[in-house]
Amino acid sequence: MTVTRRAAVLGSPIAHSLSPVLHRAAYDELGLTDWSYDRFEVDEAALPGFLGELGAEWAGLSLTMPLKRAVIPLLDEISDTAASVDAVNTVVLTEDGRRLGDNTDIPGMVAALREHGIEEVPSAAILGAGATASSALAALARICTGEVVAYVRSEARAAEMREWGERLDVDVRTADWADAAEALRAPLVIATTPAGTTDALATAVPERPTTLFDVLYDPWPTELAARWSMFGGAVVTGLDLLVHQAVLQVEQMTGRSPAPLEAMRHAGEKALAAR
């Protein structure tokens, strides 16, 4: 059958992306046989040209690094959620040619936590201070009633996190990475650092850990997540986040709701097991 609607994920590097697996699983489950979802290696310099060549068959784009901020000047409108962290991971292309930007990472984080029974926490800790950490702060703005402590490696990063806190109306205190073991006693710990960064903290997991949200999914489990689970703590995974934010993308791009969460999760788990 002729493809009439297209979507894709853009970024650099992009070969590792699970987005095609998740979105194609959704299309299959929804019976959208005339939809396709691809991946394209696109960096900041190539992004304007790529967007400029998209035809009327295009419905939407998922964006990963390094495009989440670079795309903003190229859009007609962005949501308040995306504006709150200066990051767009979803572009919906309308029939009248408009480009609308949104951020599904933030509500995706909230949904992933809610799925694990986390509706509200009195305080939280964040490990790291990159782009994902700012999205974590925005998610915590919705569910955390008290202080958030961010553990970072430099004063420059600490200043950034405090600025994000002010912008998002979150009570943020920063602490040195050398004291990151203290974070593990928080009611909710969100690890936003690259693979291997938190491995050394695994031996510091308390005897009765609470909830760890580790945004990584490959390789999995991380040493920290494995130890956390072994001690009986709840673990929210990067795949949980990936699936929940993709569900929202599918709904926005296709106009079909609800997107098939479990079919998408199963496809993601199967793909990761095959790696």
Side-chain angles (χ1 to χ4, degrees):
M1 182 177 289
T2 303
V3 171
T4 59
R5 299 299 278 158
R6 296 188 69 183
V9 60
L10 315 181
S12 183
I14 200 61
H16 68 287
S17 176
L18 274 182
S19 291
V21 170
L22 302 182
H23 285 252
R24 289 169 187 168
Y27 298 165
D28 287 345
E29 192 74 10
L30 293 169
L32 299 175
T33 56
D34 54 350
W35 281 68
S36 71
Y37 190 100
D38 303 294
R39 62 164 68 91
F40 292 95
E41 182 85 17
V42 177
D43 61 15
E44 293 153 296
L47 183 60
F50 186 94
L51 291 179
E53 294 176 0
L54 298 181
E57 74 276 17
W58 282 88
L61 301 168
S62 308
L63 302 178
T64 186
M65 299 304 292
L67 305 179
K68 293 184 179 183
R69 288 184 179 162
V71 74
I72 293 176
L74 307 174
L75 303 177
D76 295 298
E77 183 182 328
I78 67 171
S79 67
D80 290 343
T81 302
S84 72
V85 290
D86 288 338
V88 165
N89 77 327
T90 307
V91 176
V92 173
L93 304 164
T94 67
E95 291 184 3
D96 61 359
R98 287 168 55 78
R99 303 169 181 169
L100 310 180
D102 193 14
N103 185 310
T104 64
D105 285 331
I106 295 165
M109 281 187 174
V110 174
L113 287 164
R114 184 173 293 126
E115 186 179 43
H116 285 76
I118 308 298
E119 300 275 353
E120 184 178 285
V121 290
S123 60
I126 295 178
L127 299 172
T132 306
S134 60
S135 291
L137 270 182
L140 288 171
R142 304 182 181 192
I143 67 167
C144 184
T145 59
E147 182 182 68
V148 176
V149 184
Y151 291 81
V152 301
R153 293 189 181 278
S154 71
E155 178 50 39
R157 288 290 197 180
E160 286 178 10
M161 288 299 282
R162 290 192 294 267
E163 288 172 11
W164 280 117
E166 290 179 11
R167 181 167 171 174
L168 295 163
D169 197 24
V170 178
D171 180 12
V172 174
R173 176 168 64 85
T174 55
D176 192 271
W177 184 263
D179 299 320
E182 296 176 3
L184 308 186
R185 300 188 180 279
L188 171 63
V189 182
I190 305 182
T192 69
T193 53
T197 308
T198 62
D199 288 357
L201 297 175
T203 57
V205 172
E207 288 187 8
R208 295 179 181 176
T210 50
T211 300
L212 170 69
F213 192 163
D214 194 325
V215 303
L216 297 174
Y217 61 85
D218 187 19
W220 187 264
T222 63
E223 289 190 26
L224 179 60
R227 182 89 168 183
W228 201 274
S229 293
M230 187 174 74
F231 277 44
V235 176
V236 186
T237 74
L239 183 60
D240 292 327
L241 167 59
L242 195 66
V243 170
H244 277 284
Q245 64 83 28
V247 159
L248 297 170
Q249 289 185 335
V250 168
E251 292 174 353
Q252 289 190 30
M253 293 178 192
T254 68
R256 298 282 294 274
S257 182
L261 172 70
E262 290 309 321
M264 295 168 70
R265 190 200 313 275
H266 177 70
E269 290 171 345
K270 184 177 179 181
L272 286 175
R275 286 187 176 180

